[in-house]
Amino acid sequence: MKAAVLHNFGVPLSLEQVTDPVIGTGEVLVDVVAAPVLSYTDEVLSGARRYLLPTPVVPGAGAIGRVRAVGPDATRLQPGDWVFCDPTVRSRDGATTPDITLQAASARGEGGQKLQRYFRDGTFAEKVRVPTENAAPIGTIAPAEAGRWCAVGTLLIAYGGLLAMDFRPGETLLVSAATGNFGSATVALAMAMGARCVVAPGRNGTVLDDLRRRFGERLVPVQLTSNAAADTRAMQEAAPGPIDAVMDFLPPSVGAAVARAAIMTLRQGGRAVLTGGVGMLGGEDLSLPYPWIMRNLITVRGQWMYDTAAIPGLVGLVRSGLLDLGHWAVTAFPLTGANDAVAHAAANAGPFKLTVLKP
């Protein structure tokens, strides 16, 4: 099969003929129809993100495809089924604390790296091998829609955070980094899940205006300044009532003060979920006040990726019509244009934009 191969960090991808993956028990072989190219893929491939990723490797985290073959223990999946290839691979011998690798992207800890060495190659290829549980059925779709369904990969990360905070219909959610790729996906999901209001702070007025146009009066934009205390007050005053929950999707380039200003908007009993990258490249700690957390019964938790059980729920939101994938504009590249796709994704990062490879 053909695949785009990264031989070393900092060098372009090389289109090559490689050996087809061979599956065994507990594995599925999928024909890749569309693979998302994340906006920061260039940072991963250059080594700037410092992800633990052995080379040579076929990059590409996640895809929409059709099952080509299943292992002998598969009882429901059939060749031809449309599936989302979930890149979050978990060890099967650690039920309570599984080791995790993001296939062809990164790994967590020594166990995750061991898992990665086996499931190392990703979806910038004509075929990909995934664990059986990572081939999640999405139902029949038109092949032309495969690119837009790649939005599921971004949406699942946002959905995992909303499930982690037990977000409920009628609540007010503040999305820190609402003008970014993951933040805007969180906005769309919260609206689909019945939010009373979504407070969307950001510095990009054009994007804030676009969010308001898409989602109407339940979307409340807030223009941020460089004054954390003033920003906290502005976000609280913009909301129609107390802020029940905060989702933080700020990237590594943003300082902790911005995250702290958003979290400090919470009502008594409020919840904050941290899903971004603040501090990953250095900088100050989050430093939330102990007395404020304790006296106001605040819950702060981290969430990395999502549980497998989240996938059917998200697919159900799409199938019901509550969540409209039509928000996403897709730019597709053939596998021969993998390097162009990576550059395009970096230059066109932002809400509701998808760059995909179509092998």
Side-chain angles (χ1 to χ4, degrees):
M1 69 173 183
K2 293 178 182 177
V5 181
L6 177 71
H7 285 280
N8 291 291
F9 290 112
V11 301
L13 296 169
S14 174
L15 184 64
E16 300 178 11
Q17 196 76 29
V18 300
T19 304
D20 283 15
V22 177
I23 63 168
T25 301
E27 297 173 351
V28 173
L29 185 64
V30 177
D31 288 324
V32 177
V33 179
V37 184
L38 302 178
S39 60
Y40 55 85
T41 299
D42 63 329
E43 297 176 19
V44 175
L45 303 186
S46 70
R49 285 247 170 173
R50 306 175 192 171
Y51 281 3
L52 297 173
L53 182 63
T55 56
V57 65
V58 177
I64 299 297
R66 303 191 76 174
V67 173
R68 172 172 285 267
V70 298
D73 58 336
T75 61
R76 300 189 183 185
L77 281 176
Q78 299 290 330
D81 286 350
W82 283 95
V83 294
F84 165 66
C85 297
D86 180 6
T88 311
V89 180
R90 299 169 177 84
S91 61
R92 293 163 174 161
D93 52 356
T96 56
T97 55
D99 291 302
I100 297 177
T101 187
L102 301 184
Q103 190 169 4
S106 186
R108 186 178 71 185
E110 184 178 343
Q113 292 175 66
K114 181 178 181 181
L115 194 62
Q116 182 187 60
R117 287 192 287 273
Y118 183 73
F119 288 107
R120 68 187 294 162
D121 288 332
T123 54
F124 288 6
E126 292 178 322
K127 302 179 186 70
V128 66
R129 178 188 63 184
V130 298
T132 304
E133 62 271 25
N134 286 58
I138 61 171
T140 302
I141 65 171
E145 290 298 305
R148 187 164 279 119
W149 271 85
C150 284
V152 165
T154 300
L155 284 161
L156 273 169
I157 297 172
Y159 193 46
L162 291 170
L163 293 178
M165 67 171 56
D166 190 24
F167 183 72
R168 305 179 188 97
E171 289 193 315
T172 292
L173 175 72
L174 187 149
V175 181
S176 191
T179 56
N181 192 23
F182 290 106
S184 58
T186 307
V187 171
L189 267 169
M191 292 294 185
M193 295 169 69
R196 175 192 180 189
C197 169
V198 177
V199 180
R203 287 185 168 83
N204 190 322
T206 301
V207 175
L208 291 175
D209 289 344
D210 180 64
L211 289 173
R212 177 74 172 205
R213 178 186 62 80
R214 290 174 187 269
F215 298 107
E217 294 183 357
R218 286 195 294 152
L219 190 286
V220 179
V222 179
Q223 188 80 40
L224 293 178
T225 68
S226 297
N227 185 315
D231 287 341
T232 295
R233 288 194 300 272
M235 288 183 278
Q236 289 173 321
E237 291 170 0
I243 294 173
D244 300 292
V246 169
M247 176 85 85
D248 182 278
F249 261 118
L250 290 168
S253 58
V254 177
V258 181
R260 185 164 55 248
I263 294 170
M264 295 291 290
T265 65
L266 283 169
R267 65 165 172 83
Q268 181 175 311
R271 301 99 69 199
V273 170
L274 310 180
T275 54
V278 170
M280 286 185 178
L281 300 179
E284 65 170 323
D285 291 332
L286 188 55
S287 301
L288 291 169
Y290 186 114
W292 175 78
I293 294 174
M294 181 268 293
R295 291 172 181 161
N296 289 286
L297 314 178
I298 300 297
T299 299
V300 179
R301 66 164 287 179
Q303 178 66 30
W304 191 44
M305 304 305 286
Y306 44 84
D307 293 332
T308 304
I311 301 176
L314 180 65
V315 172
L317 283 172
V318 176
R319 290 296 187 182
S320 70
L322 292 170
L323 181 60
D324 183 10
L325 296 183
H327 283 295
W328 277 264
V330 181
T331 303
F333 290 81
L335 195 56
T336 53
N339 288 302
D340 292 335
V342 171
H344 181 273
N348 293 274
F352 308 114
K353 294 179 180 179
L354 272 174
T355 302
V356 303
L357 283 178
K358 288 195 167 183

